Amino acid sequence: MEELFGLLRPYVAQWFKEKYGQPTEPQRLAIPLVKRGSHVLISSPTGTGKTLAAFLGILDELFKMAEEGELEDRVYAVYVSPLRALNNDMRKNLLEPLAEISQKAREMGREVPEIRVAVRTSDTSSYEKQKMVRRPPHIVITTPESLSISLVAPRFREKLSSTRWIIIDEIHDLASSKRGAHLMLSVERLDELVFSTTGRRMQRIGLSATIAPLEEVAEFLGGYEGGKPRKVEIVDARFVKPIDIRVVLPEVDIVRDLPERINEAIYEKLAKLIEDHRTTLVFTNTRSATERVVFKLKRKLKNSVEDIDKIEEKIEAHHSSISRDLRLEVEDRLKRGELKVVISSTSLELGIDIGYIDLVVLLGSPKSTTRLLQRVGRAGHRISEVSKGRVIVVDRDDLVECAVLAKSAMERQIDNAKIPEKPLDVLIQHIVGMSIERRWRIEEAFEVVRRSYNFRNLTMQEFLDVLRFLGGSEELDEEGVYSKIWLDEEKGVFGKKRGGRMIYQLNAGVIPDEAKMVVVTTGGKFVGNLEEEFVEILERGDVFVLAGRTYRFIKSDGIKVLVEPADGARPTVPSWFSEALPLSFDSALRVGRFRRQVERLIRKGESAVEAVAREYMLTEEAARAIVDYVREQMLYVGVVPGDDLVLVEYFWDEGWHIVFHMLYGRRVNDAISRAYATKLSDLVFTPVKVSVTDNGFVLSYEKDVMPSKELITEVIRSVRSNNLKELLQSSITNTELMKRRFRHVAERSFMILRRYKGYEKSPERLQLGAQQLLKYLLEERPELPPVKETYREIMEDYMDLSSAVKVLRWIEEGKVRVEVVGPLEYPSPMAHSIVVKGFSDVVLMEDKRKILRLLHEKIKSIIEGKEGAVA
């Protein structure tokens, strides 16, 4: 330890010893690397001191510069966080040690000048920004969006040109989104500015919670130089905190008991866990579930806990639809220890300091090992404390999934992050930004862009296509899309166009404004509103629930959704589906492997219940429920779908339904199901409906043409790994998904402007303009970058085309077998949840459970007497 302290100024080292004693693992490993000037990625859980691990070496260097009279009125360190709410906390967290270290220096006979810290975001006033230009902070705290705008603010840009360090927090959250791609292009632009001014590159430091693969995230942080990744040192302290994760089954029969009793048992189990702990954080998977759990829990705890005063005031909700002020109030009360329980959707997953939590409870599957570890990591804030998590499961599929995720988490098997490749709308935005900075040679700008990990594989042709699009054309002018840069391809240069700065400053960023959709019947009656993200998954003929009644979707026009009443019709899309998290591909494969293992144990006649309970840390009741589930599937159809076996079954119920058991996660299944539906529709000459889950999908049609093994085999044979992309692109062209996603891409590409010259367009008006523009582009200019990017975003980010291609290749190579059974009288046990994915959310599932219970009873009556056949 003395070797580490020897790297620091004496008063900095003494302050640290007195305040913290010994450094944590990430601090011990990272501080020497930061002091050495290396690029560093620090990955460790909440409460392990990684922020100080990044900053202590930088603060020490700033104090050294201050001592030696070299500290000028310039920015030396830029800290970027994706959360504005974190930035003011970070300022306080820096000001306190700076004041304490300065005091310690005075005590030790050293007088050091003040090191200034300031926050610069969209909330910062013009007056504060002007002050920063006159007397800049040495450390500036900002967001990805504000950093990109700072780069074109002429006077502040000059103050940034001496930046030595850039710290990127929550990099695990940024890497897998367009925000991360947007930020890293800003980092490369800032790096180029610093290099052209000082002749050196910035030092990059990334802070991450649990993520994999660390090598790829390190490349994302470091970027490329001369076509090769810059060297980034990795501090892997992801598993320094002890964890304790268990799956909890409500004390009921989750298949046979009445839905009302199962629901009651879930809340009884939750209430008991809350009562046994001081402060509990509960995660649901949807915003609507969060509100319902708060409502029910207040009633439950009020009735069962007499010694908690004013229990209603000690239970709060926290999610993205709640106002920022209310969220901050909840966070502050949590830090002060005033709350007994907080229920959140995903909003408390990130590193907001929420103080002491001794238990995290998850209601239902978190859908990935990484998310499970991140959520449970919120418990036990100090490095020595155990992060304790309990997952309450709600049905048998949930039990299987959670058992696998919990074991994977305890064994530190992390899902791989998926980083967007070449998002062209992000590139378009940055080319406009670069044009404002100065006149660029095309080759020079191309090289800067390709230093960013997301664009390392960008071709010169793709880059030129973007420049030509931004340079404008007569055809686009007629559609109201004007040039945003000045381009001289002959001389190989581009630069700014009048109005470019205003467009960039008012419209930069990648987070789209969501529109509220107005639902109207064909008779003109107003029904209510829908979230835009829900509308984008609808297709003509879909039935959904709104205001307690069912409606059939006909079409959308701008923000208007046209429907017709569908009283008595079975909903085809659950109201929560657009919010539901998809199961990751890696985790889905593990679930499939687990099913296969349980089947093998049963066939060998071994004590399957005991083996499953022991290996997956389950109670005997939970293990028996899983083994019974697999055994019932074996007895009914003789086949258990898993990671290496796709089961296809079909049955009649007011139409033909073909169930594809594909355990590859919803994003993969979404891609494959659309291609299969297109081919099936061509073969049976009728429209085919698609219903997708993490464990498979259903293709349904009403025509009385019975499927056959030959028909299904033909569908599977016709969709290949080498034609999936083409089929998928064709199938999404005229969908709501295409319309909505194109608007987002068009906004990011500055084709349609949210704000300009003092006016602001509503999302509703933007959507109307985007739909008209898309219609023209699909007919006349489908090769333009914004159209290509819309397809890419849907197929690669929203869906998972690369993993879907991998699955089809496995089928073609025989690594994954396909078995077809049918017609069945009823869907098999493992098809039940796929067929009736229902229209209630994960916590209130009464309707779904009633159907599942009925189906289970039918299956049990069929397989009775077969018990000896498989065991």
Side-chain angles (χ1 to χ4, degrees):
M1 288 306 111
E2 288 310 312
E3 189 180 330
L4 172 64
F5 291 133
L7 297 172
L8 305 171
R9 320 302 293 157
Y11 49 88
V12 175
Q14 190 60 33
W15 166 82
F16 188 92
K17 286 178 192 175
E18 290 176 12
K19 180 128 182 167
Y20 298 104
Q22 294 296 314
T24 63
E25 181 82 352
Q27 290 167 350
R28 186 179 64 78
L29 295 170
I31 291 169
L33 295 171
V34 173
K35 287 288 290 181
R36 195 188 301 159
S38 304
H39 301 308
V40 187
L41 173 64
I42 308 167
S43 183
S44 70
T46 302
T48 55
K50 60 177 172 280
T51 306
L52 195 56
F55 262 114
L56 194 65
I58 294 170
L59 297 183
D60 188 75
E61 285 294 311
L62 289 173
F63 276 114
K64 179 186 175 188
M65 291 166 69
E67 273 188 68
E68 295 172 356
E70 295 174 1
L71 197 67
E72 299 177 20
D73 282 346
R74 307 187 73 80
V75 173
Y76 290 99
V78 176
Y79 166 89
V80 186
S81 161
L83 297 172
R84 267 185 314 191
L86 262 182
N87 288 334
N88 288 316
D89 267 2
M90 178 53 62
R91 182 172 176 271
K92 289 177 202 163
N93 293 343
L94 281 175
L95 289 177
E96 186 181 307
L98 282 169
E100 291 170 352
I101 293 169
S102 295
Q103 177 61 31
K104 183 54 63 181
R106 282 192 289 275
E107 289 172 12
M108 295 174 71
R110 305 273 182 95
E111 195 64 45
V112 289
E114 177 195 14
I115 293 170
R116 298 187 297 275
V117 182
V119 174
R120 187 182 177 98
T121 69
S122 57
D123 293 334
T124 308
S125 67
S126 299
Y127 170 71
E128 286 294 325
K129 287 178 180 175
Q130 285 165 10
K131 265 176 64 179
M132 284 183 211
V133 171
R134 289 194 298 272
R135 196 164 179 254
H138 301 115
I139 302 171
V140 67
I141 297 167
T142 190
T143 61
E145 292 74 21
S146 293
L147 176 61
S148 71
I149 290 168
S150 296
L151 287 170
V152 298
R155 292 169 66 200
F156 193 67
R157 172 183 168 81
E158 192 271 327
K159 303 297 180 188
L160 288 169
S161 64
S162 55
T163 303
R164 283 183 56 182
W165 302 277
I166 184 154
I167 303 106
I168 299 169
D169 205 351
E170 308 288 352
I171 202 167
H172 58 280
D173 183 62
L174 289 163
S176 55
S177 71
K178 284 191 176 184
R179 267 188 105 191
H182 186 269
L183 170 62
M184 296 318 292
L185 270 182
S186 292
V187 170
E188 293 301 343
R189 286 167 57 194
L190 176 58
D191 198 49
E192 182 67 13
L193 169 66
V194 171
F195 185 73
S196 64
T197 306
T198 66
R200 55 173 170 72
R201 298 288 180 192
M202 293 185 302
Q203 184 180 352
R204 306 172 187 216
I205 303 162
L207 307 180
S208 174
T210 309
I211 194 170
L214 282 181
E215 293 74 20
E216 187 178 5
V217 179
E219 283 189 31
F220 171 79
L221 170 66
Y224 276 57
E225 186 100 53
K228 293 180 180 176
R230 296 185 180 104
K231 184 172 176 53
V232 176
E233 301 288 348
I234 296 173
V235 173
D236 184 1
R238 290 172 294 179
F239 311 122
V240 291
K241 275 183 79 175
I243 55 170
D244 171 20
I245 301 173
R246 295 286 184 276
V247 173
V248 178
L249 199 62
E251 292 173 9
V252 286
D253 185 323
I254 55 174
V255 178
R256 297 175 185 85
D257 274 340
L258 291 169
E260 295 79 8
R261 176 68 198 110
I262 295 171
N263 206 35
E264 186 66 21
I266 290 170
Y267 282 97
E268 285 169 4
K269 182 64 72 176
L270 179 57
K272 181 73 171 71
L273 287 167
I274 290 166
E275 288 164 28
D276 290 347
H277 294 83
R278 197 178 91 188
T279 310
T280 303
L281 175 58
V282 179
F283 281 105
T284 69
N285 285 340
T286 66
R287 295 187 294 271
S288 54
T290 297
E291 293 293 351
R292 287 168 181 165
V293 173
V294 170
F295 176 73
K296 281 210 159 193
L297 205 51
K298 281 182 176 178
R299 287 168 52 192
K300 186 78 188 167
L301 288 175
K302 201 173 182 180
N303 294 337
S304 63
V305 185
E306 294 174 5
D307 60 333
I308 300 178
D309 298 326
K310 299 180 181 176
I311 187 64
E312 287 198 19
E313 294 175 15
K314 297 194 175 185
I315 302 173
E316 292 288 358
H318 190 290
H319 58 74
S320 57
S321 295
I322 293 172
S323 74
R324 181 170 175 267
D325 289 345
L326 278 174
R327 289 202 307 273
L328 289 173
E329 186 184 327
V330 170
E331 290 160 23
D332 287 339
R333 291 185 65 201
L334 197 51
K335 282 180 209 173
R336 294 195 298 267
E338 295 174 8
L339 296 175
K340 180 71 178 170
V341 57
V342 172
I343 296 95
S344 174
S345 52
T346 58
S347 54
L348 284 178
E349 283 179 0
L350 292 183
I352 301 166
D353 182 8
I354 52 175
Y356 182 80
I357 301 281
D358 55 346
L359 177 70
V360 168
V361 178
L362 288 80
L363 287 172
S365 171
K367 298 296 178 180
S368 85
T369 311
T370 307
R371 186 175 286 108
L372 176 56
L373 284 165
Q374 273 175 228
R375 289 180 172 185
V376 173
R378 306 301 293 176
H381 198 68
R382 293 187 184 85
I383 192 165
S384 58
E385 293 169 350
V386 176
S387 292
K388 184 177 178 184
R390 296 293 180 262
V391 187
I392 300 178
V393 298
V394 297
D395 58 38
R396 293 198 295 187
D397 280 314
D398 203 36
L399 172 58
V400 170
E401 196 172 292
C402 292
V404 172
L405 291 177
K407 184 173 190 288
S408 300
M410 292 296 286
E411 293 176 351
R412 311 308 211 265
Q413 295 177 354
I414 307 170
D415 304 305
N416 289 326
K418 197 164 185 301
I419 300 174
E421 291 274 337
K422 298 190 284 193
L424 296 179
D425 50 355
V426 172
L427 176 58
I428 288 167
Q429 205 169 112
H430 276 274
I431 293 296
V432 175
M434 291 171 80
S435 75
I436 298 163
E437 295 170 4
R438 61 182 173 91
R439 183 179 291 195
W440 288 80
R441 286 176 43 249
I442 290 174
E443 293 85 356
E444 184 187 12
F446 178 61
E447 282 310 311
V448 170
V449 167
R450 275 172 47 102
R451 287 177 197 150
S452 163
Y453 178 81
N454 304 78
F455 295 96
R456 69 198 183 284
N457 295 322
L458 186 77
T459 66
M460 177 56 89
Q461 187 56 55
E462 288 168 326
F463 190 67
L464 287 172
D465 288 345
V466 167
L467 289 177
R468 287 165 186 158
F469 161 72
L470 284 170
S473 65
E474 285 182 21
E475 307 100 282
L476 288 176
D477 282 356
E478 288 172 12
E479 297 300 317
V481 179
Y482 304 104
S483 59
K484 304 295 186 301
I485 64 169
W486 162 82
L487 172 67
D488 188 333
E489 215 174 316
E490 205 172 290
K491 291 182 180 175
V493 291
F494 69 91
K496 73 175 177 182
K497 186 138 193 199
R498 191 177 173 187
R501 184 184 300 277
M502 183 185 289
I503 289 170
Y504 188 79
Q505 288 178 327
L506 293 176
N507 297 277
V510 296
I511 303 170
D513 293 329
E514 291 294 329
K516 279 281 185 190
M517 309 297 288
V518 179
V519 183
V520 181
T521 66
T522 47
K525 181 185 173 188
F526 171 72
V527 176
N529 293 303
L530 286 173
E531 296 286 338
E532 187 176 18
E533 63 182 351
F534 178 72
V535 175
E536 76 177 16
I537 64 172
L538 295 177
E539 293 188 13
R540 188 178 179 88
D542 271 335
V543 176
F544 61 91
V545 178
L546 182 61
R549 297 186 65 180
T550 48
Y551 294 92
R552 184 172 286 104
F553 175 71
I554 297 172
K555 66 173 185 174
S556 78
D557 184 20
I559 62 143
K560 190 184 288 185
V561 174
L562 197 64
V563 298
E564 61 184 14
D567 296 335
R570 185 187 299 169
T572 57
V573 183
S575 59
W576 48 264
F577 188 68
S578 62
E579 289 184 48
L581 300 164
L583 182 65
S584 72
F585 182 60
D586 297 329
S587 291
L589 289 175
R590 291 186 198 113
V591 172
R593 204 171 301 128
F594 174 57
R595 281 194 188 178
R596 177 159 49 96
Q597 289 166 350
V598 176
E599 179 190 17
R600 193 184 301 128
L601 285 170
I602 295 170
R603 290 195 188 279
K604 281 183 177 178
E606 296 178 10
S607 178
V609 172
E610 189 181 306
V612 170
R614 184 177 60 251
E615 191 176 345
Y616 287 83
M617 300 165 293
L618 298 169
T619 62
E620 187 182 333
E621 291 76 17
R624 181 168 286 109
I626 290 171
V627 171
D628 286 349
Y629 187 27
V630 175
R631 183 179 278 115
E632 284 172 14
Q633 178 73 17
M634 291 165 65
L635 287 167
Y636 187 62
V637 290
V639 178
V640 177
D643 59 324
D644 65 346
L645 174 65
V646 171
L647 169 65
V648 187
E649 60 180 84
Y650 54 98
F651 63 95
W652 173 268
D653 179 16
E654 299 176 20
W656 284 106
H657 305 277
I658 308 173
V659 183
F660 289 76
H661 295 261
M662 300 188 91
L663 275 81
Y664 304 115
R666 194 174 85 214
R667 292 171 65 227
V668 168
N669 291 344
D670 200 345
I672 295 174
S673 65
R674 288 172 190 260
Y676 280 179
T678 300
K679 287 296 183 182
L680 180 61
S681 181
D682 291 344
L683 290 167
V684 296
F685 305 105
T686 193
V688 172
K689 296 292 302 170
V690 183
S691 177
V692 184
T693 74
D694 286 312
N695 291 344
F697 52 89
V698 187
L699 304 184
S700 306
Y701 58 90
E702 294 179 3
K703 195 172 181 181
D704 192 11
V705 177
M706 188 173 86
S708 63
K709 290 184 181 180
E710 291 74 26
L711 175 70
I712 293 165
T713 303
E714 178 59 30
V715 168
I716 293 169
R717 276 191 192 140
S718 62
V719 178
R720 313 282 296 175
S721 57
N722 60 6
N723 70 357
L724 177 62
K725 184 176 181 179
E726 182 187 338
L727 286 168
L728 190 52
Q729 184 164 315
S730 171
S731 73
I732 61 179
T733 296
N734 294 313
T735 61
E736 291 300 316
L737 186 58
M738 184 77 181
K739 285 186 202 174
R740 308 286 142 199
R741 294 289 168 142
F742 174 74
R743 192 200 92 217
H744 299 164
V745 170
E747 282 183 54
R748 294 186 201 108
S749 304
F750 300 155
M751 292 187 91
I752 52 176
L753 302 176
R754 285 171 287 176
R755 303 171 193 91
Y756 190 57
K757 290 186 176 177
Y759 72 82
E760 183 166 350
K761 279 187 183 176
S762 66
E764 294 81 4
R765 282 188 64 199
L766 290 170
Q767 185 62 47
L768 276 168
Q771 282 180 209
Q772 292 164 2
L773 188 56
L774 177 62
K775 189 171 183 292
Y776 162 77
L777 292 176
L778 287 173
E779 289 173 3
E780 304 294 334
R781 301 292 303 277
E783 80 290 351
L784 284 183
V787 180
K788 289 168 74 172
E789 173 55 25
T790 306
Y791 282 122
R792 190 212 63 79
E793 180 183 307
I794 292 171
M795 293 191 291
E796 295 181 19
D797 299 347
Y798 178 77
M799 299 176 195
D800 185 356
L801 178 63
S802 60
S803 297
V805 166
K806 193 183 290 184
V807 168
L808 292 182
R809 197 172 290 126
W810 289 342
I811 292 172
E812 290 158 14
E813 293 168 354
K815 291 177 183 174
V816 170
R817 293 183 297 120
V818 179
E819 290 206 22
V820 183
V821 297
L824 299 177
E825 188 176 353
Y826 301 104
S828 71
M830 288 182 175
H832 293 178
S833 61
I834 303 174
V835 173
V836 287
K837 66 183 179 188
F839 42 87
S840 300
D841 70 43
V842 76
V843 179
L844 295 174
M845 302 173 70
E846 287 88 346
D847 299 308
K848 180 178 175 180
R849 287 206 184 96
K850 281 172 185 169
I851 305 168
L852 289 173
R853 185 166 174 255
L854 178 66
L855 279 170
H856 185 258
E857 286 169 1
K858 299 281 189 189
I859 294 294
K860 285 295 283 183
S861 67
I862 290 172
I863 63 175
E864 272 175 13
K866 293 184 182 178
E867 291 291 337
V870 184

